[in-house]
Amino acid sequence: MRNRSLLLRSGLTVAAATALPLPLAAGSAAVSGISVSTSGSTVSVTTSACTQINGSWGTASLLNSSQANFAQGRQAALSGTNTQQSAAWSSVSPGTYTVIVMCSNNNTAGTQSVIVSAATTPTISATASPSRGVMGGMGGGTTDYGTLTLVTGGALVGTGIAATVWYLRRRSRPSRL
């Protein structure tokens, strides 16, 4: 009894899992057949849904927020091949737009919204360079000391060297006992 119940539940789960992707696959057919992209102030659209009739693939229209139908937008003719058709609009102002593609057989290939943002240009500014070179070194490396300070420092270094030589020579002599 227990095994039959478990088998029944497993069968229902498998049936539900099998049936679940069917509505999702049917819903994916309703996805727009166009792809819209922006680059700066240029908007472009591509599709593969149109067929050529009398030398024309169709027309694409770019509508701003105050335009309601296909005829009111900026229209551009589709061009391309059997596998891909495209159209583009340049000098598009920043804002939200709707792109509609109408094939030459009067079927709509798709509709998609796009946001065109303002182009940003990087600002380059120069900084002042140090007047006396790079200010590195041990604290005060760019401070100019007088001649007396330099002579005193040189005398101390010389005295240190002389004392080191004297100590090492004295140490190397044999001791007298």
Side-chain angles (χ1 to χ4, degrees):
M1 184 80 166
R2 188 175 260 175
N3 289 339
R4 184 178 287 175
S5 170
L6 181 61
L7 189 58
L8 180 65
R9 275 192 241 151
S10 299
L12 290 174
T13 304
V14 169
T18 306
L20 182 62
L22 292 177
L24 293 177
S28 66
V31 174
S32 177
I34 65 173
S35 174
V36 180
S37 63
T38 62
S39 176
S41 65
T42 301
V43 176
S44 59
V45 61
T46 58
T47 185
S48 58
C50 297
T51 56
Q52 191 174 28
I53 298 175
N54 295 329
S56 172
W57 294 101
T59 308
S61 184
L62 180 70
L63 288 77
N64 63 26
S65 57
S66 65
Q67 296 169 329
N69 62 30
F70 185 85
Q72 292 176 337
R74 282 176 59 181
Q75 296 185 7
L78 291 174
S79 61
T81 63
N82 288 333
T83 57
Q84 186 173 0
Q85 304 84 43
S86 64
W89 299 269
S90 59
S91 302
V92 178
S93 308
T96 303
Y97 295 87
T98 302
V99 176
I100 302 172
V101 175
M102 185 74 71
C103 295
S104 56
N105 61 1
N106 290 329
N107 288 337
T108 302
T111 302
Q112 190 172 338
S113 294
V114 65
I115 297 173
V116 178
S117 57
T120 57
T121 56
T123 305
I124 300 172
S125 62
T127 58
S129 60
S131 60
R132 292 178 42 155
V134 177
M135 299 177 84
M138 305 279 286
T142 61
T143 304
D144 188 19
Y145 295 105
T147 306
L148 178 64
T149 304
L150 294 176
V151 169
T152 304
L156 286 172
V157 169
T159 304
I161 291 173
T164 303
V165 169
W166 174 77
Y167 176 77
L168 291 175
R169 289 194 77 200
R170 183 171 178 251
R171 192 172 164 208
S172 66
R173 279 193 218 159
S175 59
R176 295 181 194 167
L177 290 176

mmCIF file with all atom_site columns, all heavy atoms in Angstrom, residues 3-19:
data_model
loop_
_atom_site.group_PDB
_atom_site.id
_atom_site.type_symbol
_atom_site.label_atom_id
_atom_site.label_alt_id
_atom_site.label_comp_id
_atom_site.label_asym_id
_atom_site.label_entity_id
_atom_site.label_seq_id
_atom_site.pdbx_PDB_ins_code
_atom_site.Cartn_x
_atom_site.Cartn_y
_atom_site.Cartn_z
_atom_site.occupancy
_atom_site.B_iso_or_equiv
_atom_site.pdbx_formal_charge
_atom_site.auth_seq_id
_atom_site.auth_comp_id
_atom_site.auth_asym_id
_atom_site.auth_atom_id
_atom_site.pdbx_PDB_model_num
ATOM 1   N N   . ASN A 1 3  ? 4.016  1.523  -0.983  1.00 0.00 ? 3  ASN A N   1
ATOM 2   C CA  . ASN A 1 3  ? 4.755  1.632  -2.231  1.00 0.00 ? 3  ASN A CA  1
ATOM 3   C C   . ASN A 1 3  ? 3.862  2.149  -3.357  1.00 0.00 ? 3  ASN A C   1
ATOM 4   O O   . ASN A 1 3  ? 4.309  2.912  -4.201  1.00 0.00 ? 3  ASN A O   1
ATOM 5   C CB  . ASN A 1 3  ? 5.346  0.281  -2.624  1.00 0.00 ? 3  ASN A CB  1
ATOM 6   C CG  . ASN A 1 3  ? 6.489  -0.109 -1.716  1.00 0.00 ? 3  ASN A CG  1
ATOM 7   O OD1 . ASN A 1 3  ? 7.080  0.748  -1.064  1.00 0.00 ? 3  ASN A OD1 1
ATOM 8   N ND2 . ASN A 1 3  ? 6.786  -1.406 -1.662  1.00 0.00 ? 3  ASN A ND2 1
ATOM 9   N N   . ARG A 1 4  ? 2.615  1.727  -3.390  1.00 0.00 ? 4  ARG A N   1
ATOM 10  C CA  . ARG A 1 4  ? 1.689  2.175  -4.427  1.00 0.00 ? 4  ARG A CA  1
ATOM 11  C C   . ARG A 1 4  ? 1.447  3.679  -4.290  1.00 0.00 ? 4  ARG A C   1
ATOM 12  O O   . ARG A 1 4  ? 1.407  4.408  -5.272  1.00 0.00 ? 4  ARG A O   1
ATOM 13  C CB  . ARG A 1 4  ? 0.378  1.406  -4.323  1.00 0.00 ? 4  ARG A CB  1
ATOM 14  C CG  . ARG A 1 4  ? -0.571 1.763  -5.442  1.00 0.00 ? 4  ARG A CG  1
ATOM 15  C CD  . ARG A 1 4  ? -1.826 0.978  -5.379  1.00 0.00 ? 4  ARG A CD  1
ATOM 16  N NE  . ARG A 1 4  ? -1.562 -0.396 -5.783  1.00 0.00 ? 4  ARG A NE  1
ATOM 17  C CZ  . ARG A 1 4  ? -2.461 -1.363 -5.743  1.00 0.00 ? 4  ARG A CZ  1
ATOM 18  N NH1 . ARG A 1 4  ? -3.662 -1.116 -5.276  1.00 0.00 ? 4  ARG A NH1 1
ATOM 19  N NH2 . ARG A 1 4  ? -2.170 -2.569 -6.130  1.00 0.00 ? 4  ARG A NH2 1
ATOM 20  N N   . SER A 1 5  ? 1.302  4.190  -3.064  1.00 0.00 ? 5  SER A N   1
ATOM 21  C CA  . SER A 1 5  ? 1.079  5.619  -2.816  1.00 0.00 ? 5  SER A CA  1
ATOM 22  C C   . SER A 1 5  ? 2.295  6.440  -3.256  1.00 0.00 ? 5  SER A C   1
ATOM 23  O O   . SER A 1 5  ? 2.166  7.492  -3.856  1.00 0.00 ? 5  SER A O   1
ATOM 24  C CB  . SER A 1 5  ? 0.782  5.839  -1.336  1.00 0.00 ? 5  SER A CB  1
ATOM 25  O OG  . SER A 1 5  ? 0.789  7.199  -1.027  1.00 0.00 ? 5  SER A OG  1
ATOM 26  N N   . LEU A 1 6  ? 3.471  5.931  -2.926  1.00 0.00 ? 6  LEU A N   1
ATOM 27  C CA  . LEU A 1 6  ? 4.701  6.615  -3.310  1.00 0.00 ? 6  LEU A CA  1
ATOM 28  C C   . LEU A 1 6  ? 4.847  6.638  -4.830  1.00 0.00 ? 6  LEU A C   1
ATOM 29  O O   . LEU A 1 6  ? 5.227  7.653  -5.414  1.00 0.00 ? 6  LEU A O   1
ATOM 30  C CB  . LEU A 1 6  ? 5.898  5.914  -2.662  1.00 0.00 ? 6  LEU A CB  1
ATOM 31  C CG  . LEU A 1 6  ? 7.274  6.515  -2.935  1.00 0.00 ? 6  LEU A CG  1
ATOM 32  C CD1 . LEU A 1 6  ? 7.330  7.944  -2.422  1.00 0.00 ? 6  LEU A CD1 1
ATOM 33  C CD2 . LEU A 1 6  ? 8.345  5.664  -2.286  1.00 0.00 ? 6  LEU A CD2 1
ATOM 34  N N   . LEU A 1 7  ? 4.535  5.544  -5.475  1.00 0.00 ? 7  LEU A N   1
ATOM 35  C CA  . LEU A 1 7  ? 4.614  5.464  -6.928  1.00 0.00 ? 7  LEU A CA  1
ATOM 36  C C   . LEU A 1 7  ? 3.616  6.408  -7.590  1.00 0.00 ? 7  LEU A C   1
ATOM 37  O O   . LEU A 1 7  ? 3.921  7.061  -8.582  1.00 0.00 ? 7  LEU A O   1
ATOM 38  C CB  . LEU A 1 7  ? 4.376  4.016  -7.372  1.00 0.00 ? 7  LEU A CB  1
ATOM 39  C CG  . LEU A 1 7  ? 4.621  3.699  -8.838  1.00 0.00 ? 7  LEU A CG  1
ATOM 40  C CD1 . LEU A 1 7  ? 6.048  4.034  -9.208  1.00 0.00 ? 7  LEU A CD1 1
ATOM 41  C CD2 . LEU A 1 7  ? 4.326  2.241  -9.117  1.00 0.00 ? 7  LEU A CD2 1
ATOM 42  N N   . LEU A 1 8  ? 2.417  6.519  -7.028  1.00 0.00 ? 8  LEU A N   1
ATOM 43  C CA  . LEU A 1 8  ? 1.401  7.412  -7.563  1.00 0.00 ? 8  LEU A CA  1
ATOM 44  C C   . LEU A 1 8  ? 1.850  8.869  -7.460  1.00 0.00 ? 8  LEU A C   1
ATOM 45  O O   . LEU A 1 8  ? 1.728  9.641  -8.407  1.00 0.00 ? 8  LEU A O   1
ATOM 46  C CB  . LEU A 1 8  ? 0.069  7.199  -6.828  1.00 0.00 ? 8  LEU A CB  1
ATOM 47  C CG  . LEU A 1 8  ? -1.091 8.085  -7.282  1.00 0.00 ? 8  LEU A CG  1
ATOM 48  C CD1 . LEU A 1 8  ? -1.455 7.759  -8.720  1.00 0.00 ? 8  LEU A CD1 1
ATOM 49  C CD2 . LEU A 1 8  ? -2.285 7.887  -6.373  1.00 0.00 ? 8  LEU A CD2 1
ATOM 50  N N   . ARG A 1 9  ? 2.401  9.244  -6.289  1.00 0.00 ? 9  ARG A N   1
ATOM 51  C CA  . ARG A 1 9  ? 2.886  10.620 -6.111  1.00 0.00 ? 9  ARG A CA  1
ATOM 52  C C   . ARG A 1 9  ? 4.035  10.922 -7.061  1.00 0.00 ? 9  ARG A C   1
ATOM 53  O O   . ARG A 1 9  ? 4.118  11.996 -7.635  1.00 0.00 ? 9  ARG A O   1
ATOM 54  C CB  . ARG A 1 9  ? 3.340  10.837 -4.666  1.00 0.00 ? 9  ARG A CB  1
ATOM 55  C CG  . ARG A 1 9  ? 2.210  11.216 -3.777  1.00 0.00 ? 9  ARG A CG  1
ATOM 56  C CD  . ARG A 1 9  ? 2.726  11.706 -2.456  1.00 0.00 ? 9  ARG A CD  1
ATOM 57  N NE  . ARG A 1 9  ? 2.202  10.802 -1.438  1.00 0.00 ? 9  ARG A NE  1
ATOM 58  C CZ  . ARG A 1 9  ? 2.780  10.519 -0.307  1.00 0.00 ? 9  ARG A CZ  1
ATOM 59  N NH1 . ARG A 1 9  ? 3.934  11.049 -0.011  1.00 0.00 ? 9  ARG A NH1 1
ATOM 60  N NH2 . ARG A 1 9  ? 2.224  9.706  0.553   1.00 0.00 ? 9  ARG A NH2 1
ATOM 61  N N   . SER A 1 10 ? 4.948  9.988  -7.228  1.00 0.00 ? 10 SER A N   1
ATOM 62  C CA  . SER A 1 10 ? 6.071  10.189 -8.141  1.00 0.00 ? 10 SER A CA  1
ATOM 63  C C   . SER A 1 10 ? 5.580  10.356 -9.566  1.00 0.00 ? 10 SER A C   1
ATOM 64  O O   . SER A 1 10 ? 6.088  11.191 -10.327 1.00 0.00 ? 10 SER A O   1
ATOM 65  C CB  . SER A 1 10 ? 7.036  9.007  -8.076  1.00 0.00 ? 10 SER A CB  1
ATOM 66  O OG  . SER A 1 10 ? 7.560  8.880  -6.784  1.00 0.00 ? 10 SER A OG  1
ATOM 67  N N   . GLY A 1 11 ? 4.584  9.553  -9.962  1.00 0.00 ? 11 GLY A N   1
ATOM 68  C CA  . GLY A 1 11 ? 4.022  9.655  -11.307 1.00 0.00 ? 11 GLY A CA  1
ATOM 69  C C   . GLY A 1 11 ? 3.370  10.999 -11.551 1.00 0.00 ? 11 GLY A C   1
ATOM 70  O O   . GLY A 1 11 ? 3.503  11.592 -12.617 1.00 0.00 ? 11 GLY A O   1
ATOM 71  N N   . LEU A 1 12 ? 2.653  11.511 -10.555 1.00 0.00 ? 12 LEU A N   1
ATOM 72  C CA  . LEU A 1 12 ? 2.029  12.835 -10.693 1.00 0.00 ? 12 LEU A CA  1
ATOM 73  C C   . LEU A 1 12 ? 3.080  13.934 -10.809 1.00 0.00 ? 12 LEU A C   1
ATOM 74  O O   . LEU A 1 12 ? 2.927  14.880 -11.574 1.00 0.00 ? 12 LEU A O   1
ATOM 75  C CB  . LEU A 1 12 ? 1.092  13.096 -9.508  1.00 0.00 ? 12 LEU A CB  1
ATOM 76  C CG  . LEU A 1 12 ? -0.183 12.262 -9.457  1.00 0.00 ? 12 LEU A CG  1
ATOM 77  C CD1 . LEU A 1 12 ? -0.945 12.522 -8.163  1.00 0.00 ? 12 LEU A CD1 1
ATOM 78  C CD2 . LEU A 1 12 ? -1.049 12.560 -10.659 1.00 0.00 ? 12 LEU A CD2 1
ATOM 79  N N   . THR A 1 13 ? 4.159  13.811 -10.042 1.00 0.00 ? 13 THR A N   1
ATOM 80  C CA  . THR A 1 13 ? 5.230  14.800 -10.109 1.00 0.00 ? 13 THR A CA  1
ATOM 81  C C   . THR A 1 13 ? 5.891  14.805 -11.481 1.00 0.00 ? 13 THR A C   1
ATOM 82  O O   . THR A 1 13 ? 6.149  15.861 -12.060 1.00 0.00 ? 13 THR A O   1
ATOM 83  C CB  . THR A 1 13 ? 6.281  14.509 -9.018  1.00 0.00 ? 13 THR A CB  1
ATOM 84  O OG1 . THR A 1 13 ? 5.626  14.471 -7.749  1.00 0.00 ? 13 THR A OG1 1
ATOM 85  C CG2 . THR A 1 13 ? 7.366  15.553 -8.997  1.00 0.00 ? 13 THR A CG2 1
ATOM 86  N N   . VAL A 1 14 ? 6.150  13.633 -12.010 1.00 0.00 ? 14 VAL A N   1
ATOM 87  C CA  . VAL A 1 14 ? 6.760  13.528 -13.338 1.00 0.00 ? 14 VAL A CA  1
ATOM 88  C C   . VAL A 1 14 ? 5.819  14.097 -14.400 1.00 0.00 ? 14 VAL A C   1
ATOM 89  O O   . VAL A 1 14 ? 6.244  14.818 -15.309 1.00 0.00 ? 14 VAL A O   1
ATOM 90  C CB  . VAL A 1 14 ? 7.144  12.063 -13.644 1.00 0.00 ? 14 VAL A CB  1
ATOM 91  C CG1 . VAL A 1 14 ? 7.535  11.888 -15.103 1.00 0.00 ? 14 VAL A CG1 1
ATOM 92  C CG2 . VAL A 1 14 ? 8.263  11.612 -12.732 1.00 0.00 ? 14 VAL A CG2 1
ATOM 93  N N   . ALA A 1 15 ? 4.535  13.819 -14.300 1.00 0.00 ? 15 ALA A N   1
ATOM 94  C CA  . ALA A 1 15 ? 3.568  14.334 -15.271 1.00 0.00 ? 15 ALA A CA  1
ATOM 95  C C   . ALA A 1 15 ? 3.503  15.861 -15.208 1.00 0.00 ? 15 ALA A C   1
ATOM 96  O O   . ALA A 1 15 ? 3.456  16.541 -16.242 1.00 0.00 ? 15 ALA A O   1
ATOM 97  C CB  . ALA A 1 15 ? 2.185  13.739 -15.014 1.00 0.00 ? 15 ALA A CB  1
ATOM 98  N N   . ALA A 1 16 ? 3.519  16.416 -14.005 1.00 0.00 ? 16 ALA A N   1
ATOM 99  C CA  . ALA A 1 16 ? 3.484  17.875 -13.857 1.00 0.00 ? 16 ALA A CA  1
ATOM 100 C C   . ALA A 1 16 ? 4.756  18.509 -14.400 1.00 0.00 ? 16 ALA A C   1
ATOM 101 O O   . ALA A 1 16 ? 4.721  19.548 -15.067 1.00 0.00 ? 16 ALA A O   1
ATOM 102 C CB  . ALA A 1 16 ? 3.282  18.255 -12.395 1.00 0.00 ? 16 ALA A CB  1
ATOM 103 N N   . ALA A 1 17 ? 5.898  17.897 -14.148 1.00 0.00 ? 17 ALA A N   1
ATOM 104 C CA  . ALA A 1 17 ? 7.168  18.433 -14.633 1.00 0.00 ? 17 ALA A CA  1
ATOM 105 C C   . ALA A 1 17 ? 7.253  18.366 -16.152 1.00 0.00 ? 17 ALA A C   1
ATOM 106 O O   . ALA A 1 17 ? 7.843  19.225 -16.792 1.00 0.00 ? 17 ALA A O   1
ATOM 107 C CB  . ALA A 1 17 ? 8.330  17.673 -14.004 1.00 0.00 ? 17 ALA A CB  1
ATOM 108 N N   . THR A 1 18 ? 6.656  17.344 -16.741 1.00 0.00 ? 18 THR A N   1
ATOM 109 C CA  . THR A 1 18 ? 6.659  17.213 -18.196 1.00 0.00 ? 18 THR A CA  1
ATOM 110 C C   . THR A 1 18 ? 5.734  18.234 -18.844 1.00 0.00 ? 18 THR A C   1
ATOM 111 O O   . THR A 1 18 ? 6.043  18.803 -19.879 1.00 0.00 ? 18 THR A O   1
ATOM 112 C CB  . THR A 1 18 ? 6.223  15.798 -18.605 1.00 0.00 ? 18 THR A CB  1
ATOM 113 O OG1 . THR A 1 18 ? 7.055  14.859 -17.932 1.00 0.00 ? 18 THR A OG1 1
ATOM 114 C CG2 . THR A 1 18 ? 6.320  15.594 -20.092 1.00 0.00 ? 18 THR A CG2 1
ATOM 115 N N   . ALA A 1 19 ? 4.597  18.499 -18.233 1.00 0.00 ? 19 ALA A N   1
ATOM 116 C CA  . ALA A 1 19 ? 3.622  19.426 -18.803 1.00 0.00 ? 19 ALA A CA  1
ATOM 117 C C   . ALA A 1 19 ? 3.997  20.877 -18.574 1.00 0.00 ? 19 ALA A C   1
ATOM 118 O O   . ALA A 1 19 ? 3.551  21.761 -19.304 1.00 0.00 ? 19 ALA A O   1
ATOM 119 C CB  . ALA A 1 19 ? 2.248  19.163 -18.205 1.00 0.00 ? 19 ALA A CB  1
#
